[in-house]
Amino acid sequence: MCSKDKVTVLFFAQLSEISHQTEAQYPIEAQETALSLYQRIRAEYDFPLEATQLRAARNHAFCPWDTVLENRDIVAFIPPVAGG
Amino acid sequence: MFLLTEKIIDNPSLSKEIDNKKNGAYVFFEGRVRNHNDGKAVTHLSYSVYPQLAMRVGEAVIAEAKARFDVQDIHCIHRTGSLNIGDIAIWIAVGAAHRDAAFNACRFVLDTLKQDLPIWKKEHYQNAESAWPNNQI
């Protein structure tokens, strides 16, 4: 872990609409988890959805919220789904 | 086989693809866009998708269904993009030797995809602001 580590965050559905973007780079702190990153981004954009309403994904697979992120990871926060 | 498509789902030609002489039972499911939801008149809807994760989830659900039920073939296609009333949003075909396995596998695939597939629906209404409804599991 170094101070220049970054992840790419993908935004979908409401989160994309509110933040006006589909992806963005975010620097990560040491031991940054999917949850701590979401809380930071939620505060930045005032997302109405709490983490308990979402699922996290890392590198195109669902992951637990306490997953520690690594440099160059691709992270997504999955709002409640509506397929089918 | 799991696919995502922005094109209109052409179910008759798809049905031919899963023809298999080992199968004595086929179950087909079509989920279509209806013109109302929650008391509001729906004009059309837009599906957005996380394609990499959706493909992974879709293929895993089909593999799980094949492991759980005695079926030969499962094909599933989900539309993305802009859909009109009456369009097929999801199409599932299951081929099996016998009907019980085919019905059960089809229901399992549909229910699991509705729960896990990273696809979102924006509904557009005649007299109300658009909304992002989610599946009630």
Side-chain angles (χ1 to χ4, degrees), chain A residues 3-81:
Chain A
S3 61
K4 290 182 181 172
D5 286 356
K6 286 182 180 175
V7 295
T8 300
V9 176
L10 307 179
F11 295 88
F12 296 100
Q14 305 97 307
L15 305 189
S16 174
E17 202 169 66
I18 294 167
S19 65
H20 300 289
Q21 58 191 345
T22 55
E23 70 173 72
Q25 303 280 316
Y26 278 86
I28 51 171
E29 309 290 334
Q31 297 302 302
E32 181 99 59
T33 64
L35 179 60
S36 65
L37 180 62
Y38 178 69
Q39 287 168 336
R40 205 144 48 87
I41 297 173
R42 184 186 180 208
E44 181 181 349
Y45 291 105
D46 204 16
F47 288 150
L49 295 169
E50 294 183 21
T52 52
Q53 298 172 275
L54 308 177
R55 295 168 79 178
R58 173 175 174 251
N59 299 331
H60 309 314
F62 288 117
C63 71
W65 278 108
D66 61 359
T67 300
V68 174
L69 303 177
E70 295 180 10
N71 190 32
R72 297 183 183 175
D73 275 352
I74 298 168
V75 182
F77 305 111
I78 311 295
V81 299

Side-chain angles (χ1 to χ4, degrees), chain B residues 7-115:
Chain B
K7 295 178 184 168
I8 287 175
I9 294 175
D10 177 6
N11 51 347
S13 64
L14 287 165
S15 301
K16 289 178 197 157
E17 281 186 32
I18 71 158
D19 188 31
N20 183 337
K21 299 294 180 270
K22 290 182 178 176
N23 294 331
Y26 284 96
V27 169
F28 299 95
F29 176 84
E30 288 178 9
R32 292 186 177 225
V33 180
R34 65 180 183 273
N35 67 358
H36 63 97
N37 190 29
D38 202 19
K40 292 186 284 252
V42 175
T43 57
H44 63 288
L45 56 82
S46 323
Y47 276 117
S48 55
V49 60
Y50 179 177
Q52 298 94 332
L53 182 56
M55 288 303 299
R56 188 174 275 190
V57 168
E59 286 165 1
V61 169
I62 286 175
E64 175 70 19
K66 284 184 172 178
R68 284 184 182 218
F69 305 100
D70 188 12
V71 296
Q72 294 284 340
D73 304 287
I74 302 178
H75 286 213
C76 177
I77 301 184
H78 202 297
R79 262 298 279 287
T80 62
S82 183
L83 280 74
N84 294 314
I85 303 303
D87 281 2
I88 297 173
I90 187 169
W91 184 83
I92 301 169
V94 179
H98 303 288
R99 66 187 183 281
D100 277 350
F103 276 118
N104 291 336
C106 188
R107 181 69 190 246
F108 172 83
V109 169
L110 179 63
D111 288 352
T112 312
L113 290 177
K114 285 182 85 76
Q115 184 176 297

